[in-house]
């Protein structure tokens, strides 16, 4: 696991973008695993800016998103399907048919998405305040495939800011790639910023590998790079 402490959010976003660009330039038909949330937005903005200014093309790239809320319409302003279109897909030349966001609430929906996710070259991750990756909450088995998860109150509180700060509007379930799915990616790129992520990052990087901090499993992946700002790194001992 390579940890890079960056000056600020813009710096970490740009460094993460450079990893994505190098991958896409070297392999134009790359498969990218993508994440939502505030952490990767800066990286997506850099991807759009570079595409418009330098012509970096994503026309042969395929993408698979980590997760989606259950019980929310795809076109809802707070759906992750909408988020990806607004924050990335509409700004680059990717074929909409090559973009995939999980959807549904059944075991069959999970199995179908699990089977579809294949050969991910780089999986982008954020990290939750409780150490979750995707929507894999503490206690999730490390070999879990794509599944339906009950969201913890902690996670719903953290996401309430997107729902008029009303936790009652936040969905109670999500469909998510499992930790087992995530770990199949050839390379993992995790981005995080802010002091509220410091405890989770310390547990992920320096703690024991334990299902109580789902992200700690990344210690066992052969190729992980972590870009964090100084606040997020503030509790690391080295």
């Amino acid at each position: 696991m390579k940890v890079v402490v960056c000056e600020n959010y813009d710096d970490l976003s740009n460094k993460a973008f450079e990893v994505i660009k190098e991958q896409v330039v070297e392999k134009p038909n790359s498969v990218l695993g993508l994440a939502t949330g505030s952490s990767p937005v800066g990286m997506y903005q850099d991807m759009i800016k570079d595409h418009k200014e330098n012509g970096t093309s994503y026309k042969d790239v395929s993408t698979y998103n980590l997760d989606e809320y259950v019980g929310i319409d795809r076109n809802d302003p707070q759906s992750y399907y909408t988020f990806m279109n607004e924050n990335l897909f509409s700004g680059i030349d990717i074929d909409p048919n090559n973009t995939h966001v999980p959807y549904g609430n059944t075991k069959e929906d999970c199995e179908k998405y699990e089977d579809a996710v294949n050969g991910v070259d780089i999986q982008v991750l954020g990290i939750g305040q409780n150490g979750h990756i995707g929507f894999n909450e503490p206690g999730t088995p490390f070999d879990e495939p794509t599944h339906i998860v009950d969201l913890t109150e902690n996670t719903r509180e953290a996401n309430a800011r997107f729902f008029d700060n009303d936790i009652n509007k936040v969905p109670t379930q999500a469909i998510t790639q499992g930790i087992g799915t995530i770990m199949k990616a050839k390379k993992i790129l995790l981005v995080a910023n802010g002091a509220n992520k410091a405890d989770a990052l310390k547990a992920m990087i320096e703690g024991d590998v334990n299902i109580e901090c789902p992200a700690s499993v990344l210690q066992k992946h052969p190729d992980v790079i972590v870009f964090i700002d100084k606040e997020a790194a503030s509790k690391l001992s080295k």
Side-chain angles (χ1 to χ4, degrees), residues 20-32 57 60-62 118-122 186:
I20 296 290
K21 180 175 179 176
E22 181 180 10
Q23 172 67 40
V24 171
V25 169
E26 288 185 3
K27 184 184 176 185
N29 64 338
S30 289
V31 180
L32 303 179
S57 178
D60 296 319
V61 167
S62 296
N118 188 36
V120 174
D121 292 295
I122 297 181
K186 296 168 189 171

Side-chain angles (χ1 to χ4, degrees), residues 212-227:
E212 292 313 310
C213 177
S216 66
V217 73
L218 299 181
Q219 293 179 34
K220 294 183 172 292
H221 193 282
D223 189 0
V224 178
I225 185 164
V226 179
F227 292 114

Side-chain angles (χ1 to χ4, degrees), residues 47-49 51-52 85-93:
M47 290 168 68
I48 293 170
K49 182 172 184 284
H51 166 70
K52 291 180 176 177
N85 280 300
E86 290 181 346
N87 287 282
L88 180 61
F89 298 151
S90 64
I92 57 177
D93 62 340

Side-chain angles (χ1 to χ4, degrees), residues 36-63:
T36 53
S38 55
S39 296
V41 168
M43 181 187 75
Y44 294 154
Q45 290 173 343
D46 285 343
M47 290 168 68
I48 293 170
K49 182 172 184 284
D50 170 67
H51 166 70
K52 291 180 176 177
E53 293 180 357
N54 302 312
T56 302
S57 178
Y58 297 83
K59 67 183 179 64
D60 296 319
V61 167
S62 296
T63 65

Side-chain angles (χ1 to χ4, degrees), residues 165-229:
N165 289 312
D166 184 355
I167 192 172
N168 295 313
K169 294 182 180 179
V170 183
T172 58
Q173 289 186 315
I175 180 172
T176 184
Q177 286 187 33
I179 296 173
T181 322
I182 292 167
M183 291 292 283
K184 291 177 184 175
K186 296 168 189 171
K187 184 183 188 75
I188 289 176
L189 171 61
L190 188 144
V191 291
N193 63 291
N196 63 326
K197 300 294 178 73
D199 286 327
L201 286 161
K202 182 174 179 63
M204 177 186 90
I205 296 165
E206 298 179 353
D208 295 332
V209 177
N210 189 299
I211 61 172
E212 292 313 310
C213 177
S216 66
V217 73
L218 299 181
Q219 293 179 34
K220 294 183 172 292
H221 193 282
D223 189 0
V224 178
I225 185 164
V226 179
F227 292 114
I228 53 179
D229 68 0

Side-chain angles (χ1 to χ4, degrees), residues 11-120:
D11 185 31
L12 77 86
S13 296
N14 188 252
K15 284 182 167 62
F17 152 70
E18 291 291 349
V19 174
I20 296 290
K21 180 175 179 176
E22 181 180 10
Q23 172 67 40
V24 171
V25 169
E26 288 185 3
K27 184 184 176 185
N29 64 338
S30 289
V31 180
L32 303 179
L34 300 180
T36 53
S38 55
S39 296
V41 168
M43 181 187 75
Y44 294 154
Q45 290 173 343
D46 285 343
M47 290 168 68
I48 293 170
K49 182 172 184 284
D50 170 67
H51 166 70
K52 291 180 176 177
E53 293 180 357
N54 302 312
T56 302
S57 178
Y58 297 83
K59 67 183 179 64
D60 296 319
V61 167
S62 296
T63 65
Y64 291 89
N65 262 74
L66 279 171
D67 44 31
E68 176 63 282
Y69 291 118
V70 166
I72 196 169
D73 187 84
R74 284 217 129 155
N75 297 311
D76 187 285
Q78 298 307 327
S79 77
Y80 289 163
Y81 179 86
T82 297
F83 177 98
M84 291 307 304
N85 280 300
E86 290 181 346
N87 287 282
L88 180 61
F89 298 151
S90 64
I92 57 177
D93 62 340
I94 195 164
D95 182 346
N97 293 320
N98 290 341
T99 65
H100 307 88
V101 179
Y103 192 68
N105 60 2
T106 67
K107 188 170 185 288
E108 290 72 26
D109 294 325
C110 296
E111 290 171 348
K112 183 178 180 181
Y113 198 72
E114 179 72 18
D115 290 342
V117 179
N118 188 36
V120 174

